[in-house]
PDB file of all heavy atoms in Angstrom:
ATOM      1  N   THR P  12      21.021   0.909   8.758  1.00 99.00           N
ATOM      2  CA  THR P  12      22.125   0.361   9.565  1.00 99.00           C
ATOM      3  C   THR P  12      21.577  -0.814  10.375  1.00 99.00           C
ATOM      4  O   THR P  12      20.380  -0.884  10.646  1.00 99.00           O
ATOM      5  CB  THR P  12      22.727   1.401  10.526  1.00 99.00           C
ATOM      6  OG1 THR P  12      21.801   1.620  11.610  1.00 99.00           O
ATOM      7  CG2 THR P  12      23.028   2.726   9.834  1.00 99.00           C
ATOM      8  N   GLY P  13      22.458  -1.730  10.728  1.00 98.00           N
ATOM      9  CA  GLY P  13      21.997  -2.929  11.445  1.00 98.00           C
ATOM     10  C   GLY P  13      21.110  -3.772  10.551  1.00 98.00           C
ATOM     11  O   GLY P  13      20.220  -4.484  11.017  1.00 98.00           O
ATOM     12  N   ALA P  14      21.381  -3.711   9.236  1.00 98.00           N
ATOM     13  CA  ALA P  14      20.478  -4.341   8.258  1.00 98.00           C
ATOM     14  C   ALA P  14      20.592  -5.863   8.223  1.00 98.00           C
ATOM     15  O   ALA P  14      19.730  -6.525   7.655  1.00 98.00           O
ATOM     16  CB  ALA P  14      20.758  -3.774   6.862  1.00 98.00           C
ATOM     17  N   ALA P  15      21.641  -6.405   8.825  1.00 98.00           N
ATOM     18  CA  ALA P  15      21.888  -7.850   8.665  1.00 98.00           C
ATOM     19  C   ALA P  15      20.985  -8.719   9.518  1.00 98.00           C
ATOM     20  O   ALA P  15      20.955  -9.931   9.341  1.00 98.00           O
ATOM     21  CB  ALA P  15      23.356  -8.152   8.981  1.00 98.00           C
ATOM     22  N   SER P  16      20.257  -8.128  10.452  1.00 98.00           N
ATOM     23  CA  SER P  16      19.529  -8.955  11.420  1.00 98.00           C
ATOM     24  C   SER P  16      18.257  -8.247  11.889  1.00 98.00           C
ATOM     25  O   SER P  16      18.116  -7.022  11.738  1.00 98.00           O
ATOM     26  CB  SER P  16      20.466  -9.215  12.612  1.00 98.00           C
ATOM     27  OG  SER P  16      19.810  -9.923  13.641  1.00 98.00           O
ATOM     28  N   GLY P  17      17.365  -9.028  12.458  1.00 98.00           N
ATOM     29  CA  GLY P  17      16.227  -8.492  13.210  1.00 98.00           C
ATOM     30  C   GLY P  17      15.449  -7.393  12.517  1.00 98.00           C
ATOM     31  O   GLY P  17      14.957  -7.548  11.394  1.00 98.00           O
ATOM     32  N   ILE P  18      15.314  -6.271  13.205  1.00 99.00           N
ATOM     33  CA  ILE P  18      14.464  -5.164  12.740  1.00 99.00           C
ATOM     34  C   ILE P  18      15.021  -4.525  11.461  1.00 99.00           C
ATOM     35  O   ILE P  18      14.275  -4.224  10.531  1.00 99.00           O
ATOM     36  CB  ILE P  18      14.303  -4.131  13.881  1.00 99.00           C
ATOM     37  CG1 ILE P  18      13.496  -4.751  15.037  1.00 99.00           C
ATOM     38  CG2 ILE P  18      13.641  -2.853  13.379  1.00 99.00           C
ATOM     39  CD1 ILE P  18      13.532  -3.964  16.340  1.00 99.00           C
ATOM     40  N   GLY P  19      16.334  -4.344  11.398  1.00 98.00           N
ATOM     41  CA  GLY P  19      16.944  -3.758  10.198  1.00 98.00           C
ATOM     42  C   GLY P  19      16.678  -4.621   8.976  1.00 98.00           C
ATOM     43  O   GLY P  19      16.330  -4.126   7.898  1.00 98.00           O
ATOM     44  N   SER P  36      23.732  -1.582   5.526  1.00 98.00           N
ATOM     45  CA  SER P  36      25.012  -1.525   6.232  1.00 98.00           C
ATOM     46  C   SER P  36      24.913  -2.282   7.552  1.00 98.00           C
ATOM     47  O   SER P  36      23.849  -2.373   8.164  1.00 98.00           O
ATOM     48  CB  SER P  36      25.437  -0.072   6.471  1.00 98.00           C
ATOM     49  OG  SER P  36      24.634   0.508   7.466  1.00 98.00           O
ATOM     50  N   ASP P  37      26.057  -2.828   7.949  1.00 98.00           N
ATOM     51  CA  ASP P  37      26.126  -3.585   9.196  1.00 98.00           C
ATOM     52  C   ASP P  37      27.598  -3.894   9.440  1.00 98.00           C
ATOM     53  O   ASP P  37      28.408  -3.895   8.514  1.00 98.00           O
ATOM     54  CB  ASP P  37      25.341  -4.910   9.068  1.00 98.00           C
ATOM     55  CG  ASP P  37      24.952  -5.501  10.418  1.00 98.00           C
ATOM     56  OD1 ASP P  37      25.835  -6.061  11.107  1.00 98.00           O
ATOM     57  OD2 ASP P  37      23.769  -5.388  10.796  1.00 98.00           O
ATOM     58  N   ILE P  38      27.913  -4.187  10.695  1.00 98.00           N
ATOM     59  CA  ILE P  38      29.290  -4.591  10.996  1.00 98.00           C
ATOM     60  C   ILE P  38      29.552  -5.994  10.444  1.00 98.00           C
ATOM     61  O   ILE P  38      30.695  -6.364  10.179  1.00 98.00           O
ATOM     62  CB  ILE P  38      29.569  -4.511  12.515  1.00 98.00           C
ATOM     63  CG1 ILE P  38      31.065  -4.457  12.774  1.00 98.00           C
ATOM     64  CG2 ILE P  38      28.887  -5.636  13.288  1.00 98.00           C
ATOM     65  CD1 ILE P  38      31.432  -3.984  14.172  1.00 98.00           C
ATOM     66  N   ASN P  39      28.492  -6.769  10.270  1.00 98.00           N
ATOM     67  CA  ASN P  39      28.601  -8.144   9.767  1.00 98.00           C
ATOM     68  C   ASN P  39      28.406  -8.148   8.249  1.00 98.00           C
ATOM     69  O   ASN P  39      27.308  -8.351   7.737  1.00 98.00           O
ATOM     70  CB  ASN P  39      27.544  -9.010  10.470  1.00 98.00           C
ATOM     71  CG  ASN P  39      27.693 -10.473  10.120  1.00 98.00           C
ATOM     72  OD1 ASN P  39      28.396 -10.835   9.181  1.00 98.00           O
ATOM     73  ND2 ASN P  39      27.031 -11.318  10.886  1.00 98.00           N
ATOM     74  N   LEU P  64      30.172  -1.724   7.959  1.00 98.00           N
ATOM     75  CA  LEU P  64      30.268  -0.472   8.735  1.00 98.00           C
ATOM     76  C   LEU P  64      30.279  -0.760  10.226  1.00 98.00           C
ATOM     77  O   LEU P  64      29.357  -1.410  10.745  1.00 98.00           O
ATOM     78  CB  LEU P  64      29.045   0.408   8.417  1.00 98.00           C
ATOM     79  CG  LEU P  64      28.778   1.583   9.371  1.00 98.00           C
ATOM     80  CD1 LEU P  64      29.859   2.649   9.232  1.00 98.00           C
ATOM     81  CD2 LEU P  64      27.408   2.202   9.100  1.00 98.00           C
ATOM     82  N   ASP P  65      31.305  -0.266  10.915  1.00 98.00           N
ATOM     83  CA  ASP P  65      31.247  -0.224  12.380  1.00 98.00           C
ATOM     84  C   ASP P  65      30.687   1.149  12.734  1.00 98.00           C
ATOM     85  O   ASP P  65      31.347   2.170  12.549  1.00 98.00           O
ATOM     86  CB  ASP P  65      32.637  -0.421  12.985  1.00 98.00           C
ATOM     87  CG  ASP P  65      32.600  -0.349  14.513  1.00 98.00           C
ATOM     88  OD1 ASP P  65      31.517  -0.063  15.084  1.00 98.00           O
ATOM     89  OD2 ASP P  65      33.661  -0.556  15.128  1.00 98.00           O
ATOM     90  N   ILE P  66      29.469   1.162  13.261  1.00 98.00           N
ATOM     91  CA  ILE P  66      28.754   2.413  13.503  1.00 98.00           C
ATOM     92  C   ILE P  66      29.485   3.298  14.525  1.00 98.00           C
ATOM     93  O   ILE P  66      29.280   4.519  14.566  1.00 98.00           O
ATOM     94  CB  ILE P  66      27.304   2.109  13.963  1.00 98.00           C
ATOM     95  CG1 ILE P  66      26.378   3.296  13.763  1.00 98.00           C
ATOM     96  CG2 ILE P  66      27.246   1.623  15.404  1.00 98.00           C
ATOM     97  CD1 ILE P  66      25.947   3.517  12.375  1.00 98.00           C
ATOM     98  N   ALA P  67      30.368   2.695  15.316  1.00 98.00           N
ATOM     99  CA  ALA P  67      31.115   3.466  16.317  1.00 98.00           C
ATOM    100  C   ALA P  67      32.326   4.172  15.709  1.00 98.00           C
ATOM    101  O   ALA P  67      33.055   4.876  16.417  1.00 98.00           O
ATOM    102  CB  ALA P  67      31.563   2.541  17.452  1.00 98.00           C
ATOM    103  N   HIS P  91      18.078   3.834  11.247  1.00 99.00           N
ATOM    104  CA  HIS P  91      19.282   3.494  12.018  1.00 99.00           C
ATOM    105  C   HIS P  91      18.921   2.462  13.093  1.00 99.00           C
ATOM    106  O   HIS P  91      18.423   2.797  14.162  1.00 99.00           O
ATOM    107  CB  HIS P  91      19.852   4.768  12.629  1.00 99.00           C
ATOM    108  CG  HIS P  91      20.938   4.522  13.611  1.00 99.00           C
ATOM    109  ND1 HIS P  91      21.943   3.597  13.396  1.00 99.00           N
ATOM    110  CD2 HIS P  91      21.179   5.063  14.835  1.00 99.00           C
ATOM    111  CE1 HIS P  91      22.740   3.583  14.454  1.00 99.00           C
ATOM    112  NE2 HIS P  91      22.302   4.459  15.340  1.00 99.00           N
ATOM    113  N   ALA P  92      19.180   1.193  12.753  1.00 99.00           N
ATOM    114  CA  ALA P  92      18.773   0.101  13.648  1.00 99.00           C
ATOM    115  C   ALA P  92      19.950  -0.614  14.299  1.00 99.00           C
ATOM    116  O   ALA P  92      19.735  -1.514  15.111  1.00 99.00           O
ATOM    117  CB  ALA P  92      17.919  -0.911  12.882  1.00 99.00           C
ATOM    118  N   ALA P  93      21.192  -0.247  13.959  1.00 99.00           N
ATOM    119  CA  ALA P  93      22.337  -0.947  14.570  1.00 99.00           C
ATOM    120  C   ALA P  93      22.374  -0.670  16.066  1.00 99.00           C
ATOM    121  O   ALA P  93      22.107   0.456  16.505  1.00 99.00           O
ATOM    122  CB  ALA P  93      23.640  -0.470  13.923  1.00 99.00           C
ATOM    123  N   GLY P  94      22.665  -1.683  16.835  1.00 98.00           N
ATOM    124  CA  GLY P  94      22.777  -1.464  18.277  1.00 98.00           C
ATOM    125  C   GLY P  94      23.133  -2.747  18.992  1.00 98.00           C
ATOM    126  O   GLY P  94      23.087  -3.838  18.403  1.00 98.00           O
ATOM    127  N   ILE P  95      23.509  -2.616  20.252  1.00 98.00           N
ATOM    128  CA  ILE P  95      23.823  -3.789  21.080  1.00 98.00           C
ATOM    129  C   ILE P  95      23.072  -3.689  22.409  1.00 98.00           C
ATOM    130  O   ILE P  95      22.662  -2.595  22.833  1.00 98.00           O
ATOM    131  CB  ILE P  95      25.344  -3.930  21.341  1.00 98.00           C
ATOM    132  CG1 ILE P  95      25.916  -2.664  22.013  1.00 98.00           C
ATOM    133  CG2 ILE P  95      26.091  -4.241  20.049  1.00 98.00           C
ATOM    134  CD1 ILE P  95      27.322  -2.846  22.576  1.00 98.00           C
ATOM    135  N   TYR P  96      22.926  -4.856  23.054  1.00 98.00           N
ATOM    136  CA  TYR P  96      22.095  -4.940  24.267  1.00 98.00           C
ATOM    137  C   TYR P  96      22.766  -5.877  25.281  1.00 98.00           C
ATOM    138  O   TYR P  96      22.233  -6.934  25.616  1.00 98.00           O
ATOM    139  CB  TYR P  96      20.721  -5.477  23.840  1.00 98.00           C
ATOM    140  CG  TYR P  96      19.700  -5.670  24.922  1.00 98.00           C
ATOM    141  CD1 TYR P  96      19.156  -4.597  25.620  1.00 98.00           C
ATOM    142  CD2 TYR P  96      19.224  -6.957  25.221  1.00 98.00           C
ATOM    143  CE1 TYR P  96      18.176  -4.795  26.591  1.00 98.00           C
ATOM    144  CE2 TYR P  96      18.248  -7.159  26.190  1.00 98.00           C
ATOM    145  CZ  TYR P  96      17.730  -6.075  26.869  1.00 98.00           C
ATOM    146  OH  TYR P  96      16.758  -6.265  27.816  1.00 98.00           O
ATOM    147  N   ILE P 115      28.758   2.649  20.580  1.00 99.00           N
ATOM    148  CA  ILE P 115      27.958   2.003  19.527  1.00 99.00           C
ATOM    149  C   ILE P 115      26.541   2.594  19.483  1.00 99.00           C
ATOM    150  O   ILE P 115      26.074   3.038  18.428  1.00 99.00           O
ATOM    151  CB  ILE P 115      27.923   0.470  19.750  1.00 99.00           C
ATOM    152  CG1 ILE P 115      29.338  -0.094  19.576  1.00 99.00           C
ATOM    153  CG2 ILE P 115      26.932  -0.197  18.793  1.00 99.00           C
ATOM    154  CD1 ILE P 115      29.492  -1.553  19.939  1.00 99.00           C
ATOM    155  N   ASN P 116      25.852   2.612  20.615  1.00 99.00           N
ATOM    156  CA  ASN P 116      24.424   2.995  20.586  1.00 99.00           C
ATOM    157  C   ASN P 116      24.200   4.503  20.488  1.00 99.00           C
ATOM    158  O   ASN P 116      23.221   4.935  19.878  1.00 99.00           O
ATOM    159  CB  ASN P 116      23.708   2.473  21.835  1.00 99.00           C
ATOM    160  CG  ASN P 116      23.461   0.969  21.776  1.00 99.00           C
ATOM    161  OD1 ASN P 116      23.956   0.289  20.883  1.00 99.00           O
ATOM    162  ND2 ASN P 116      22.715   0.443  22.727  1.00 99.00           N
ATOM    163  N   LEU P 140      16.150   4.171  16.360  1.00 99.00           N
ATOM    164  CA  LEU P 140      15.540   3.169  17.233  1.00 99.00           C
ATOM    165  C   LEU P 140      15.885   3.466  18.688  1.00 99.00           C
ATOM    166  O   LEU P 140      17.061   3.468  19.060  1.00 99.00           O
ATOM    167  CB  LEU P 140      16.064   1.774  16.854  1.00 99.00           C
ATOM    168  CG  LEU P 140      15.268   0.952  15.822  1.00 99.00           C
ATOM    169  CD1 LEU P 140      13.914   0.515  16.380  1.00 99.00           C
ATOM    170  CD2 LEU P 140      15.077   1.680  14.513  1.00 99.00           C
ATOM    171  N   ALA P 141      14.870   3.723  19.489  1.00 98.00           N
ATOM    172  CA  ALA P 141      15.077   3.804  20.946  1.00 98.00           C
ATOM    173  C   ALA P 141      14.633   2.470  21.524  1.00 98.00           C
ATOM    174  O   ALA P 141      14.893   1.408  20.948  1.00 98.00           O
ATOM    175  CB  ALA P 141      14.306   4.985  21.518  1.00 98.00           C
ATOM    176  N   SER P 142      13.928   2.488  22.637  1.00 98.00           N
ATOM    177  CA  SER P 142      13.492   1.247  23.286  1.00 98.00           C
ATOM    178  C   SER P 142      12.573   1.611  24.443  1.00 98.00           C
ATOM    179  O   SER P 142      12.686   2.697  25.017  1.00 98.00           O
ATOM    180  CB  SER P 142      14.705   0.500  23.836  1.00 98.00           C
ATOM    181  OG  SER P 142      14.292  -0.495  24.757  1.00 98.00           O
ATOM    182  N   VAL P 143      11.712   0.663  24.807  1.00 98.00           N
ATOM    183  CA  VAL P 143      10.912   0.847  26.016  1.00 98.00           C
ATOM    184  C   VAL P 143      11.832   1.101  27.219  1.00 98.00           C
ATOM    185  O   VAL P 143      11.448   1.785  28.173  1.00 98.00           O
ATOM    186  CB  VAL P 143      10.000  -0.391  26.227  1.00 98.00           C
ATOM    187  CG1 VAL P 143      10.804  -1.644  26.544  1.00 98.00           C
ATOM    188  CG2 VAL P 143       8.956  -0.145  27.293  1.00 98.00           C
ATOM    189  N   TYR P 155      22.356   0.604  28.521  1.00 98.00           N
ATOM    190  CA  TYR P 155      21.502   0.527  27.321  1.00 98.00           C
ATOM    191  C   TYR P 155      20.337   1.520  27.432  1.00 98.00           C
ATOM    192  O   TYR P 155      20.061   2.291  26.505  1.00 98.00           O
ATOM    193  CB  TYR P 155      20.985  -0.900  27.179  1.00 98.00           C
ATOM    194  CG  TYR P 155      20.026  -1.114  26.039  1.00 98.00           C
ATOM    195  CD1 TYR P 155      20.488  -1.318  24.740  1.00 98.00           C
ATOM    196  CD2 TYR P 155      18.646  -1.126  26.255  1.00 98.00           C
ATOM    197  CE1 TYR P 155      19.600  -1.517  23.687  1.00 98.00           C
ATOM    198  CE2 TYR P 155      17.756  -1.325  25.205  1.00 98.00           C
ATOM    199  CZ  TYR P 155      18.240  -1.524  23.929  1.00 98.00           C
ATOM    200  OH  TYR P 155      17.360  -1.716  22.890  1.00 98.00           O
ATOM    201  N   LYS P 159      19.525   4.816  25.057  1.00 98.00           N
ATOM    202  CA  LYS P 159      18.298   4.960  24.278  1.00 98.00           C
ATOM    203  C   LYS P 159      17.513   6.218  24.684  1.00 98.00           C
ATOM    204  O   LYS P 159      16.843   6.832  23.846  1.00 98.00           O
ATOM    205  CB  LYS P 159      17.433   3.710  24.423  1.00 98.00           C
ATOM    206  CG  LYS P 159      18.066   2.459  23.796  1.00 98.00           C
ATOM    207  CD  LYS P 159      18.301   2.637  22.305  1.00 98.00           C
ATOM    208  CE  LYS P 159      18.731   1.357  21.612  1.00 98.00           C
ATOM    209  NZ  LYS P 159      18.872   1.528  20.160  1.00 98.00           N
ATOM    210  N   VAL P 182      11.332   5.228  16.754  1.00 99.00           N
ATOM    211  CA  VAL P 182      10.473   4.085  17.070  1.00 99.00           C
ATOM    212  C   VAL P 182      11.025   3.445  18.332  1.00 99.00           C
ATOM    213  O   VAL P 182      12.228   3.225  18.468  1.00 99.00           O
ATOM    214  CB  VAL P 182      10.420   3.078  15.896  1.00 99.00           C
ATOM    215  CG1 VAL P 182       9.879   1.736  16.347  1.00 99.00           C
ATOM    216  CG2 VAL P 182       9.534   3.639  14.783  1.00 99.00           C
ATOM    217  N   SER P 183      10.120   3.194  19.245  1.00 98.00           N
ATOM    218  CA  SER P 183      10.517   2.678  20.552  1.00 98.00           C
ATOM    219  C   SER P 183       9.840   1.324  20.783  1.00 98.00           C
ATOM    220  O   SER P 183       8.712   1.264  21.256  1.00 98.00           O
ATOM    221  CB  SER P 183      10.083   3.701  21.617  1.00 98.00           C
ATOM    222  OG  SER P 183      10.970   3.724  22.676  1.00 98.00           O
ATOM    223  N   PRO P 184      10.542   0.249  20.419  1.00 98.00           N
ATOM    224  CA  PRO P 184       9.898  -1.069  20.542  1.00 98.00           C
ATOM    225  C   PRO P 184       9.906  -1.591  21.974  1.00 98.00           C
ATOM    226  O   PRO P 184      10.755  -1.218  22.791  1.00 98.00           O
ATOM    227  CB  PRO P 184      10.775  -1.977  19.659  1.00 98.00           C
ATOM    228  CG  PRO P 184      11.694  -1.072  18.903  1.00 98.00           C
ATOM    229  CD  PRO P 184      11.839   0.165  19.735  1.00 98.00           C
ATOM    230  N   GLY P 185       8.935  -2.490  22.228  1.00 98.00           N
ATOM    231  CA  GLY P 185       8.941  -3.254  23.485  1.00 98.00           C
ATOM    232  C   GLY P 185       9.753  -4.513  23.288  1.00 98.00           C
ATOM    233  O   GLY P 185      10.892  -4.455  22.817  1.00 98.00           O
ATOM    234  N   ILE P 186       9.177  -5.665  23.629  1.00 97.00           N
ATOM    235  CA  ILE P 186       9.924  -6.913  23.484  1.00 97.00           C
ATOM    236  C   ILE P 186       9.621  -7.516  22.111  1.00 97.00           C
ATOM    237  O   ILE P 186       8.491  -7.944  21.840  1.00 97.00           O
ATOM    238  CB  ILE P 186       9.551  -7.939  24.574  1.00 97.00           C
ATOM    239  CG1 ILE P 186       9.582  -7.284  25.959  1.00 97.00           C
ATOM    240  CG2 ILE P 186      10.475  -9.146  24.506  1.00 97.00           C
ATOM    241  CD1 ILE P 186      10.928  -6.750  26.367  1.00 97.00           C
ATOM    242  N   ILE P 187      10.646  -7.538  21.284  1.00 98.00           N
ATOM    243  CA  ILE P 187      10.505  -8.020  19.911  1.00 98.00           C
ATOM    244  C   ILE P 187      11.403  -9.260  19.757  1.00 98.00           C
ATOM    245  O   ILE P 187      12.564  -9.231  20.176  1.00 98.00           O
ATOM    246  CB  ILE P 187      10.970  -6.921  18.905  1.00 98.00           C
ATOM    247  CG1 ILE P 187      10.321  -5.556  19.229  1.00 98.00           C
ATOM    248  CG2 ILE P 187      10.698  -7.360  17.475  1.00 98.00           C
ATOM    249  CD1 ILE P 187       8.814  -5.500  19.201  1.00 98.00           C
ATOM    250  N   GLU P 188      10.861 -10.309  19.168  1.00 98.00           N
ATOM    251  CA  GLU P 188      11.651 -11.537  19.020  1.00 98.00           C
ATOM    252  C   GLU P 188      12.654 -11.392  17.879  1.00 98.00           C
ATOM    253  O   GLU P 188      12.287 -11.452  16.704  1.00 98.00           O
ATOM    254  CB  GLU P 188      10.723 -12.720  18.745  1.00 98.00           C
ATOM    255  CG  GLU P 188      10.074 -13.216  20.008  1.00 98.00           C
ATOM    256  CD  GLU P 188       9.329 -14.528  19.816  1.00 98.00           C
ATOM    257  OE1 GLU P 188       8.237 -14.478  19.222  1.00 98.00           O
ATOM    258  OE2 GLU P 188       9.848 -15.569  20.253  1.00 98.00           O
ATOM    259  N   THR P 189      13.895 -11.152  18.245  1.00 98.00           N
ATOM    260  CA  THR P 189      14.992 -11.063  17.267  1.00 98.00           C
ATOM    261  C   THR P 189      16.214 -11.699  17.930  1.00 98.00           C
ATOM    262  O   THR P 189      16.182 -11.993  19.150  1.00 98.00           O
ATOM    263  CB  THR P 189      15.348  -9.591  16.933  1.00 98.00           C
ATOM    264  OG1 THR P 189      15.980  -9.007  18.089  1.00 98.00           O
ATOM    265  CG2 THR P 189      14.150  -8.749  16.534  1.00 98.00           C
ATOM    266  N   PRO P 190      17.316 -11.863  17.218  1.00 98.00           N
ATOM    267  CA  PRO P 190      18.523 -12.405  17.848  1.00 98.00           C
ATOM    268  C   PRO P 190      18.943 -11.606  19.092  1.00 98.00           C
ATOM    269  O   PRO P 190      19.517 -12.162  20.035  1.00 98.00           O
ATOM    270  CB  PRO P 190      19.570 -12.306  16.737  1.00 98.00           C
ATOM    271  CG  PRO P 190      18.758 -12.477  15.482  1.00 98.00           C
ATOM    272  CD  PRO P 190      17.461 -11.744  15.748  1.00 98.00           C
ATOM    273  N   MET P 191      18.613 -10.315  19.138  1.00 98.00           N
ATOM    274  CA  MET P 191      19.011  -9.493  20.287  1.00 98.00           C
ATOM    275  C   MET P 191      18.369  -9.947  21.593  1.00 98.00           C
ATOM    276  O   MET P 191      18.943  -9.796  22.666  1.00 98.00           O
ATOM    277  CB  MET P 191      18.645  -8.021  20.018  1.00 98.00           C
ATOM    278  CG  MET P 191      19.051  -7.078  21.129  1.00 98.00           C
ATOM    279  SD  MET P 191      18.764  -5.351  20.710  1.00 98.00           S
ATOM    280  CE  MET P 191      20.248  -4.928  19.808  1.00 98.00           C
ATOM    281  N   THR P 192      17.161 -10.489  21.520  1.00 97.00           N
ATOM    282  CA  THR P 192      16.413 -10.780  22.750  1.00 97.00           C
ATOM    283  C   THR P 192      16.364 -12.274  23.098  1.00 97.00           C
ATOM    284  O   THR P 192      15.659 -12.661  24.036  1.00 97.00           O
ATOM    285  CB  THR P 192      14.968 -10.242  22.634  1.00 97.00           C
ATOM    286  OG1 THR P 192      14.400 -10.707  21.403  1.00 97.00           O
ATOM    287  CG2 THR P 192      14.927  -8.736  22.666  1.00 97.00           C
ATOM    288  N   ALA P 215       9.746  -8.538  14.241  1.00 98.00           N
ATOM    289  CA  ALA P 215      10.550  -7.509  13.558  1.00 98.00           C
ATOM    290  C   ALA P 215       9.734  -6.870  12.435  1.00 98.00           C
ATOM    291  O   ALA P 215       9.846  -5.660  12.179  1.00 98.00           O
ATOM    292  CB  ALA P 215      11.822  -8.148  13.009  1.00 98.00           C
TER     293      ALA P 215
HETATM  294  P1  LIG H   1      19.715  -7.516  16.258  1.00 93.46           P
HETATM  295  O1  LIG H   1      20.770  -7.912  17.217  1.00 93.46           O
HETATM  296  O2  LIG H   1      18.887  -8.576  15.617  1.00 93.46           O
HETATM  297  O3  LIG H   1      20.351  -6.610  15.108  1.00 93.46           O
HETATM  298  C1  LIG H   1      21.265  -5.596  15.407  1.00 93.46           C
HETATM  299  C2  LIG H   1      22.223  -5.450  14.241  1.00 93.46           C
HETATM  300  O4  LIG H   1      23.151  -4.418  14.581  1.00 93.46           O
HETATM  301  C3  LIG H   1      23.038  -6.726  13.958  1.00 93.46           C
HETATM  302  O5  LIG H   1      22.954  -7.093  12.604  1.00 93.46           O
HETATM  303  C4  LIG H   1      24.454  -6.341  14.336  1.00 93.46           C
HETATM  304  O6  LIG H   1      25.452  -6.970  13.560  1.00 93.46           O
HETATM  305  C5  LIG H   1      24.430  -4.823  14.124  1.00 93.46           C
HETATM  306  N1  LIG H   1      25.492  -4.158  14.878  1.00 93.46           N
HETATM  307  C6  LIG H   1      25.881  -4.408  16.163  1.00 93.46           C
HETATM  308  N2  LIG H   1      26.941  -3.643  16.470  1.00 93.46           N
HETATM  309  C7  LIG H   1      27.214  -2.898  15.373  1.00 93.46           C
HETATM  310  C8  LIG H   1      28.208  -1.926  15.076  1.00 93.46           C
HETATM  311  N3  LIG H   1      29.155  -1.591  15.953  1.00 93.46           N
HETATM  312  N4  LIG H   1      28.195  -1.361  13.858  1.00 93.46           N
HETATM  313  C9  LIG H   1      27.250  -1.712  12.932  1.00 93.46           C
HETATM  314  N5  LIG H   1      26.314  -2.649  13.149  1.00 93.46           N
HETATM  315  C10 LIG H   1      26.295  -3.226  14.349  1.00 93.46           C
HETATM  316  O7  LIG H   1      18.806  -6.488  17.042  1.00 93.46           O
HETATM  317  P2  LIG H   1      17.329  -5.925  16.740  1.00 93.46           P
HETATM  318  O8  LIG H   1      16.417  -6.545  17.694  1.00 93.46           O
HETATM  319  O9  LIG H   1      17.048  -5.974  15.300  1.00 93.46           O
HETATM  320  O10 LIG H   1      17.530  -4.399  17.197  1.00 93.46           O
HETATM  321  C11 LIG H   1      17.535  -3.315  16.282  1.00 93.46           C
HETATM  322  C12 LIG H   1      17.424  -2.020  17.069  1.00 93.46           C
HETATM  323  O11 LIG H   1      16.186  -2.021  17.778  1.00 93.46           O
HETATM  324  C13 LIG H   1      18.529  -1.828  18.116  1.00 93.46           C
HETATM  325  O12 LIG H   1      18.899  -0.468  18.147  1.00 93.46           O
HETATM  326  C14 LIG H   1      17.842  -2.224  19.411  1.00 93.46           C
HETATM  327  O13 LIG H   1      18.430  -1.595  20.516  1.00 93.46           O
HETATM  328  C15 LIG H   1      16.433  -1.751  19.155  1.00 93.46           C
HETATM  329  N6  LIG H   1      15.444  -2.424  19.979  1.00 93.46           N
HETATM  330  C16 LIG H   1      15.218  -3.786  19.867  1.00 93.46           C
HETATM  331  C17 LIG H   1      14.294  -4.395  20.705  1.00 93.46           C
HETATM  332  C18 LIG H   1      14.001  -5.849  20.649  1.00 93.46           C
HETATM  333  O14 LIG H   1      13.206  -6.321  21.506  1.00 93.46           O
HETATM  334  N7  LIG H   1      14.554  -6.626  19.743  1.00 93.46           N
HETATM  335  C19 LIG H   1      13.548  -3.624  21.710  1.00 93.46           C
HETATM  336  C20 LIG H   1      13.870  -2.229  21.725  1.00 93.46           C
HETATM  337  C21 LIG H   1      14.781  -1.665  20.884  1.00 93.46           C
END
Side-chain angles (χ1 to χ4, degrees):
T12 73
S16 176
I18 293 167
S36 73
D37 200 285
I38 199 163
N39 186 346
L64 165 69
D65 179 355
I66 200 77
H91 170 43
I95 57 167
Y96 179 67
I115 295 172
N116 285 8
L140 268 292
S142 165
V143 67
Y155 176 82
K159 294 300 189 176
V182 164
S183 213
I186 311 298
I187 311 300
E188 281 190 285
T189 70
M191 182 174 275
T192 51

